[in-house]
Amino acid sequence: MKVALITGITGQDGSYLAEILLEKNYDVWGIIRRSSNFTTSRIEHLYNNESLFLKYGDLSDGSNILSILNEIKDKYKENLERLEVYNLAAMSHVKVSFEVPEYTGNIDGLGTLRLLESIRASGLKDKTRFYQASTSELYGKVQEVPQNENTPFYPRSPYGVAKLYGYWITVNYRESYGMYCCNGILFNHESERRGLTFVTRKITKGLSKILRNEQDKLVLGNLDAKRDWGHAKDFCYGMWLMLQQDEPEDFVLSTDENHTVREFVEKAFKLKNIEIIWKGSGINEIGYDKNTNRELIFISEQYYRPAEVDLLLGDSSKAREKLGWKIECDFDNLVKKMVEEDCK
Ligand code: NAP
Ligand code: GDD
C-alpha cells in the first residue's frame, strides 16, 4: 500500500501534489487547519476520491501530528509498505514574515522538527520517506550565480532564516537516525492557483480586474527583483521524484532562467494588447498604456521589504541528470496560463 501524508494540502503545491499522488493510486492523507472560513477551494474537486483522507491539524501542535501518524499506522498495519511525508505547510509569505517573525519561526522552523520527531515517536521511521519544502530564499543575498546545491546560504528574512532551520534539521535527521529525508530547494513556482498576494498572481488578477473595470490601477513594490519562475505542477512532480530514489539527497529545482517583476508585468499586459511604457523612477515610477496614456501601474513603499532578495537564478542540472526531471511549462506559457485563467 502506497500512502502519503501532505502537510499544507490546501496550498498551491499541496493541491497539485495531491492530484499527482492520487493519480498514482496512493492513499493521500492531508492536514488542514481549522479556519472560520473555507480554505479548501484548491482541493474541492478531489473530495469524491475515496483515497483522500483529510484531518484537522497544525504544525504548532506536536501531539496532533503524532496522533495523525498513529492513526495512519493503525489503519494500514503491516500493509503499510511505505509512507511518504511531504512537509509543505508553512507561513510562506516572505514580506509577512517580517511582521510575524516568531510565528514564522515556530511553524517553518520548529514545525519541521515536530513532524520529524513525531515520525520517530510513531515508530514509522524506517518506513517513512520525508520531503522538506526548502526554498531558494535560503540563498537570499546570493553568494554566487547561478545557485546550486553547494552554494552557501545567506537568508534575508525571518522566513528564510526559519526555513534554514528546517533545511538543517532535515539533514540532521538523515545523518543522525538514518532516516530517508530530502530537501527540495525549490525556486519560485507559480500557477493559476497561486495565492493572490504573491506578485505574479497579484499582477494577473489585477490585470483581469482592470480589464473588467473592477480595479483602476495595480500598486506594486520592487519592479527590478529577478526571480527564476516556473509552473508549480512541474515542481510538485519533482518532489515525488526525489522520494523515489535509492538514496536520500537534496536537490535544486529551477527553470535556470530568470526575469524581473517588470518583465512579468509587461508580458502579462501585452497578452491583452496593452503595451506598458514606464516613466519616473523609484516610488514615483508609473507604468502607462502606450495607446491610451492611461496610468495603470504605481509603486508603493508598502510593498518593499526591509531586506530584499534581488536576484535568484537556479542551476538544476543535478535534478535533471539524476532524477530525469524536466520543465514542461516555460516562462512565456506560465504567464499566458495565469493571464488566461484570471481573465476568463
Ligand atoms: P501556500 O500556498 O502558502 O500553502 C501553504 C500551506 O501551508 C497551506 O495549506 C496552509 O494552510 C498551510 N499552513 C500554513 N500554516 C500552517 C500551520 N501552522 N499548520 C498547518 N498548515 C499550515 O504555499 P505553496 O506555494 O504551496 O508552498 C508550499 C511550500 O513550499 C511552503 O512550505 C513554501 O514555503 C515552500 N516553497 C514554495 C515556493 C513557491 O514558489 N511556491 C518555493 C520554495 C518553497 P491554509 O490554506 O489554511 O493557509
Ligand atoms: N508579494 C509581492 N507583492 N511582491 C512584490 C510586489 C508586490 O506587490 N512588488 C514587487 N514584488 C517583488 C518582491 O519584493 C520580490 O522581490 C518579488 O516580487 C517576488 O515576491 P513574491 O511573489 O512575494 O515571492 P518571493 O520570491 O518573495 O517568495 C516566494 O518564493 C520563494 C522561493 O524563492 C514564496 O513562494 C516563498 O514561499 C518561496 O520560498
Side-chain angles (χ1 to χ4, degrees), residues 170-211:
T170 299
V171 172
N172 185 252
Y173 272 54
R174 180 168 73 212
E175 294 176 353
S176 305
Y177 305 116
M179 287 171 66
Y180 190 114
C181 296
C182 298
N183 281 289
I185 308 172
L186 271 50
F187 283 65
N188 297 50
H189 43 279
E190 320 291 313
S191 73
E192 308 85 302
R193 300 182 195 170
R194 185 57 144 154
L196 292 165
T197 59
F198 296 97
V199 76
T200 55
R201 189 76 198 287
K202 186 172 164 184
I203 294 166
T204 60
K205 193 71 172 175
L207 166 62
S208 75
K209 288 191 165 189
I210 287 171
L211 293 173

Side-chain angles (χ1 to χ4, degrees), residues 162-319:
K163 283 281 185 177
L164 188 69
Y165 182 91
Y167 171 92
W168 280 115
I169 203 69
T170 299
V171 172
N172 185 252
Y173 272 54
R174 180 168 73 212
E175 294 176 353
S176 305
Y177 305 116
M179 287 171 66
Y180 190 114
C181 296
C182 298
N183 281 289
I185 308 172
L186 271 50
F187 283 65
N188 297 50
H189 43 279
E190 320 291 313
S191 73
E192 308 85 302
R193 300 182 195 170
R194 185 57 144 154
L196 292 165
T197 59
F198 296 97
V199 76
T200 55
R201 189 76 198 287
K202 186 172 164 184
I203 294 166
T204 60
K205 193 71 172 175
L207 166 62
S208 75
K209 288 191 165 189
I210 287 171
L211 293 173
R212 289 199 299 270
N213 289 322
E214 289 168 15
Q215 186 172 316
D216 59 351
K217 61 185 180 191
L218 179 60
V219 184
L220 297 171
N222 178 9
L223 294 174
D224 296 314
K226 286 187 170 169
R227 289 292 181 276
D228 180 330
W229 277 300
H231 194 287
K233 202 169 176 183
D234 288 338
F235 284 61
C236 291
Y237 185 66
M239 295 174 189
W240 176 77
L241 283 176
M242 283 181 217
L243 296 198
Q244 311 312 311
Q245 306 306 298
D246 291 338
E247 296 298 328
E249 284 182 65
D250 304 326
F251 291 92
V252 161
L253 297 185
S254 56
T255 69
D256 303 359
E257 65 173 63
N258 63 9
H259 301 269
T260 58
V261 173
R262 187 187 298 280
E263 274 178 83
F264 196 105
V265 171
E266 290 168 357
K267 205 167 270 292
F269 278 71
K270 193 75 208 265
L271 286 167
K272 291 291 161 190
N273 298 318
I274 300 174
E275 191 176 339
I276 296 290
I277 307 289
W278 304 95
K279 63 182 178 188
S281 63
I283 56 163
N284 297 316
E285 188 162 11
I286 292 175
Y288 63 96
D289 179 345
K290 189 183 172 195
N291 284 331
T292 63
N293 286 331
R294 183 178 163 196
E295 294 180 343
L296 293 171
I297 319 289
F298 290 79
I299 306 301
S300 167
E301 266 180 40
Q302 181 191 345
Y303 299 110
Y304 287 168
R305 289 149 191 211
E308 176 64 293
V309 171
D310 296 314
L311 177 161
L312 291 174
L313 177 65
D315 167 5
S316 59
S317 37
K318 179 180 173 189

Side-chain angles (χ1 to χ4, degrees), residues 7-15 31-35 39-40 42 57-61 87-93 103 107-108 131-137 159 163 184-190 193-195 198 229-230 232 235-236 239:
T7 72
I9 194 168
T10 56
Q12 170 189 258
D13 290 5
S15 66
I31 297 183
I32 58 173
R33 289 196 288 178
R34 193 270 158 183
S35 163
T39 56
T40 46
R42 294 183 178 109
D58 198 298
L59 279 196
S60 63
D61 184 343
N87 183 30
L88 309 186
M91 202 309 288
S92 71
H93 202 285
Y103 176 77
I107 303 308
D108 300 12
Y131 173 87
Q132 168 61 10
S134 285
T135 164
S136 49
E137 277 291 306
Y159 169 80
K163 283 281 185 177
I185 308 172
L186 271 50
F187 283 65
N188 297 50
H189 43 279
E190 320 291 313
R193 300 182 195 170
R194 185 57 144 154
F198 296 97
W229 277 300
F235 284 61
C236 291
M239 295 174 189

